[in-house]
């Protein structure tokens, strides 16, 4: 037992620098790998592939180092003269690796946890509670260990003091983050400082290793300059630390269920199985928000988190384009390269994407219902903006809304335009007729193009195919809430002057509806004739949200989601 | 007297190169024996076999009554072994090294370690990497002696040692071991050092032990003789089996490894010899003559 302990002690002293560096660099390796290749911090590949791969790499390097270092240094001969069997010698080396490896895994886990805390959405909430109480001693131990390792390994004052000071400085900045409320920029700076210290330490060790003359058991040559196996290991493990400095940290936008979020919008899927929720909350650093899309399964109430996504918002409520007609959720992936992503709701996987040349400006860009076409508002010669919507269903529908005077609005080959306070229609043949008069008419066209509604300040008009000019609601301040995603076109309008009073406008006319309860923020029709209601309560700066499922009469069937207090 | 080492018919080859060929060797207990021989004769190889580092191709070896092939660990525990190349873990201090070795040897003697370190003026806190070659050899010697081995094997222990350190080794270690009845087998090319510390020498040449006896006897049985010859008697055949070191028109210098009174009388009575003179010789002369005769044979 004492002999084994002596051998383990020797192995520890032989490889402690490597173990220290492994432990210190492992979190950076994880972060760099994740930041460089896997942008999504919630990607299961990190847990299932990346972390095991790094762990296996470390274990392999450590084992190789443990087995080869004695041969490289010539100490193997001295060990071979000990009154122990070769099996004991090698067994002890492997036992050393087996003992050290779990410790490394703990450190890797710690690093990953620290990263999540540092860059996660919950940094503001958890920093003071978790980091100080749980990790302060780990950070202190890490810094102390780093200084001790450098001092012991290098036995040279300057590199040890420099590297150690940087690590201590990084730790102090990290800890001070708990008090000053600074954002992840400071955290990143601290980590970078920390990493810089590690890199300097690594470089010093590598330099030292390459400068040491060594004995080669193959050539029998002595005092030959060479790169020691340890230096190679340091370089391998140190590279991610360099990479960490090069990559840009990506903020973790994963808002998890249970987090206090703001529900900005809800959109039932065409089949009624899901409700897409646009959620967000202000980021703990100025001028930024964290956003995500939650995919709420109506039956099970389970929530699938789609980090970094943003629901495509309809333009002027002209259409509800969050869901494609094929039942895919259409989002804007707010990654480094913004693109529109079609997401399969059952798996949460992106089935296809379409790059965007620029970040979408919802008031300037126009999307077709199936998101096959995107047109940026055209600017006419006189400077007026002109928008075009393409309906891919038939390829024939084309609605143009121009702010140029007069306003031509064309639908199904027809063109509507405003002439002063009159709504005029221009047929493809060139015939012009007055449809409505006496209002500031704004068009709201159904997704399938079968329904065109015009409203002014206190009246709502709808035009169905060839029929025009029906005054359906009067008087009132009617605001459009949404369109049904599939089936018969229907617009849901709220009477802003009478809380809870709605009008469902469709081809067959108008149906009045009174939704009980208050604080109704949004009402979206579902394919079964019911609705998904989105309520919001405000008390000072606090907000509470609730997503309800209603039947056709407006009765609350169940609460799908409720913001936790 | 019991033999602590018994070797019979030892054969060992490095590939096709035969190093030891039918070597027989005995080392009596309590003797300090020097092992001499030309470069490549197999001296270090023999010590490595005895120290269990090499397995012989044929023959029997007994070290302290143990077979190194079957009882390697017991042999290593019982002997002290200082090889010519001392590759110790460089990061260790002397104290670290001693503490590391201690659990492997039940008979570890801390007092002896302290005595030897003080004798060799070694600082226990000094790192091995910072030691000179000679200091490293002394440190290895301390490590080899710390567990009071019954047999000490030394391979070129005096290389790199200054005269003062060498004297401390002679007086403080080897004499100490001899007085304690321990056995020592020393390989060295420094014959003066061996003459100083050993009571026996063994000569290894061409893979075999050609001579093995105490130094006094070896020197007593050898003689370097300068003879003046009658010119009419040339060519002349000397008696015995001398090594002819030098020949002139009527002179010759002969080296006898089997010198005896009878041989001296026969040479004196030879009618061709007009005069003879016994010249001085030392252990190195004996070694060189022995190797020359072996190669001639």
């Amino acid at each position: 037992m004492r002999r084994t302990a002596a051998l383990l002690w020797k192995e520890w002293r032989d490889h402690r620098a490597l173990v220290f560096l492994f432990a210190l660099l492992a979190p950076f390796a994880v972060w760099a790998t994740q930041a460089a290749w896997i942008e999504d911090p919630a990607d299961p590949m990190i847990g299932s592939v990346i972390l095991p791969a790094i762990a296996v790499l470390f274990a392999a390097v450590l084992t190789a180092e443990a087995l080869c270092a004695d041969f490289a240094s010539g100490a193997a001969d001295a060990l071979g003269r000990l009154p122990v069997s070769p099996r004991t010698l090698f067994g002890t080396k492997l036992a050393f690796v087996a003992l050290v490896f779990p410790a490394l895994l703990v450190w890797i886990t710690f690093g990953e946890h620290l990263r999540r805390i540092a860059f996660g959405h919950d940094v503001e909430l958890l920093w003071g509670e978790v980091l100080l109480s749980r990790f302060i001693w780990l950070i202190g131990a890490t810094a102390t260990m780093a200084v001790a390792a450098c001092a012991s390994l290098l036995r040279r004052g300057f590199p040890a003091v420099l590297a150690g000071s940087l690590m201590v400085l990084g730790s102090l900045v990290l800890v001070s983050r708990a008090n000053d409320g600074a954002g992840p920029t400071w955290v990143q700076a601290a980590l970078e400082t920390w990493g810089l210290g590690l890199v300097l330490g690594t470089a010093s060790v590598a330099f030292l290793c390459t400068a040491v003359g060594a004995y080669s058991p193959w050539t029998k040559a002595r005092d030959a300059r060479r790169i020691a196996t340890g230096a190679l290991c340091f370089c391998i493990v140190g590279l991610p630390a360099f990479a960490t400095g090069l990559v840009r940290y990506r903020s973790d936008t994963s808002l998890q269920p249970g987090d206090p979020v703001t529900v900005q919008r809800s959109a039932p899927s065409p089949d009624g199985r899901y409700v897409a929720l646009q959620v967000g909350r202000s980021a703990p650093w100025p001028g930024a928000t964290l956003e995500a899309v939650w995919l709420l399964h109506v039956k099970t109430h389970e929530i699938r988190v789609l980090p970094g996504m943003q629901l495509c918002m309809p333009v002027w409520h002209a259409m509800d384009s969050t869901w494609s007609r094929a039942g895919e959720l259409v989002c804007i992936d707010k990654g480094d390269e913004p693109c529109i992503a079609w997401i399969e709701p059952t798996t949460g996987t992106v089935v296809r994407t379409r790059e965007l040349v620029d970040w979408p400006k919802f008031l300037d860009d126009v999307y077709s219902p199936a998101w096959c076409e995107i047109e940026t508002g055209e600017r006419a010669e006189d400077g007026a903006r002109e928008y075009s919507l393409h309906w891919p269903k038939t390829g024939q529908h084309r609605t143009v809304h121009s702010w140029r005077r007069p306003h031509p609005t064309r639908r199904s080959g027809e063109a509507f335009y405003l002439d002063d306070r009159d709504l005029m229609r221009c047929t493809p043949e060139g015939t012009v007729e007055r449809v409505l008069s006496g209002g500031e008419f704004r068009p709201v066209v159904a997704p399938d193009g079968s329904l065109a509604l015009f409203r002014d300040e206190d009246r709502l008009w709808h035009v169905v195919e060839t029929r025009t000019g029906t005054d359906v609601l009067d008087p009132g301040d009617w605001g459009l809430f949404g369109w049904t995603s599939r089936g018969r076109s229907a617009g849901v309008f709220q009477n802003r002057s009478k809380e809870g009073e709605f009008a469902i406008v469709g081809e067959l006319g108008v149906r009045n509806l009174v939704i009980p309860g208050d604080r109704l923020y949004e009402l979206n029709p579902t394919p079964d004739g019911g609705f998904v209601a989105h309520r919001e309560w405000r008390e000072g700066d606090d907000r509470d949200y609730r997503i309800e499922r209603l039947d056709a009469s407006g009765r609350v069937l169940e609460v799908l989601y409720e913001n936790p207090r | 007297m019991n033999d602590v080492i018994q070797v019979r018919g030892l054969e060992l080859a490095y590939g096709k190169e035969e190093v030891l060929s039918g070597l027989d060797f005995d080392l009596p207990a309590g003797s300090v024996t020097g092992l001499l021989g030309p470069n490549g004769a197999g001296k270090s190889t023999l010590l490595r076999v005895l120290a269990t580092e090499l397995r012989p191709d044929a023959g029997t070896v007994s070290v302290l009554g143990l077979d190194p092939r079957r009882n390697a660990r017991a042999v290593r525990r019982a002997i002290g072994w200082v090889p010519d190349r001392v590759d110790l873990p460089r990061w260790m201090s002397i104290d670290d090294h001693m503490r590391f070795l201690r659990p492997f040897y039940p008979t570890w003697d801390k007092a002896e370690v302290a005595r030897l370190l003080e004798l060799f003026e070694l600082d226990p806190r000094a790192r091995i990497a910072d030691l000179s070659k000679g200091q490293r050899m002394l440190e290895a010697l301390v490590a080899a002696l710390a567990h009071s081995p019954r047999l000490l094997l030394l391979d070129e222990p005096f290389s790199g040692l200054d005269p003062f350190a060498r004297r401390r080794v002679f007086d403080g270690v080897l004499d100490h071991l001899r007085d304690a009845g321990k056995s020592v087998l020393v390989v060295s090319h420094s014959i003066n050092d061996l003459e100083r510390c050993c009571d026996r020498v063994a000569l290894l040449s061409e893979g075999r032990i050609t001579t093995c006896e105490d130094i006094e006897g070896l020197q007593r049985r050898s003689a370097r003789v300068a003879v003046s010859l009658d010119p009419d008697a040339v060519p002349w055949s000397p008696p015995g089996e001398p090594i002819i070191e030098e020949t002139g028109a009527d002179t010759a210098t002969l080296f006898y490894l089997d010198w005896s009174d009878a041989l001296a009388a026969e040479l004196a009575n030879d009618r061709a010899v007009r005069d003879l003179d016994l010249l001085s010789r030392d252990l190195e002369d004996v070694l060189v003559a022995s190797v020359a005769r072996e190669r001639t044979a």
Side-chain angles (χ1 to χ4, degrees), chain B residues 225-230 236 250-252 254 267-268 270-278:
Chain B
V225 183
V227 295
S228 298
L229 300 171
D230 183 352
W236 171 69
D250 55 354
T251 60
L254 310 174
L267 197 59
D270 193 320
R271 295 171 63 182
V273 176
R274 287 176 20 189
D275 190 20
L276 67 86
D277 189 15
L278 286 175

Side-chain angles (χ1 to χ4, degrees), chain A residues 13-14 74 77-78 80-82, chain B residues 53 76 83 85 87 91 101 103:
Chain A
R13 292 292 299 270
D14 265 351
D77 291 340
R81 293 178 198 122
L82 294 173
Chain B
E53 285 189 15
R76 289 176 193 169
R85 190 182 66 240
D87 285 317
W91 56 264
L101 293 175

Side-chain angles (χ1 to χ4, degrees), chain A residues 500-520:
Chain A
E501 183 176 327
F502 292 85
I504 314 301
V505 182
E507 291 179 355
L508 302 180
V510 178
R511 177 168 68 96
N512 288 325
L513 182 69
V514 175
I515 303 294
D518 55 1
R519 311 294 183 186
L520 195 59

Side-chain angles (χ1 to χ4, degrees), chain A residues 182-257:
Chain A
T185 304
W186 282 104
V187 178
Q188 180 173 335
L191 290 174
E192 293 287 356
T193 310
W194 209 9
L196 181 62
L198 291 175
V199 170
L200 283 176
T202 305
S204 302
V205 172
F207 176 77
L208 196 68
C209 290
T210 55
V212 171
Y215 165 77
S216 166
W218 295 281
T219 64
K220 308 293 182 188
R222 294 170 67 81
D223 299 327
R225 286 176 65 90
R226 68 181 183 88
I227 298 177
T229 52
L232 282 176
C233 296
F234 296 142
C235 291
I236 291 171
V237 182
L239 278 177
F242 285 102
T244 308
L246 300 177
V247 300
R248 185 170 61 86
Y249 285 106
R250 174 192 170 94
S251 296
D252 188 349
T253 57
S254 178
L255 298 176
Q256 299 298 320

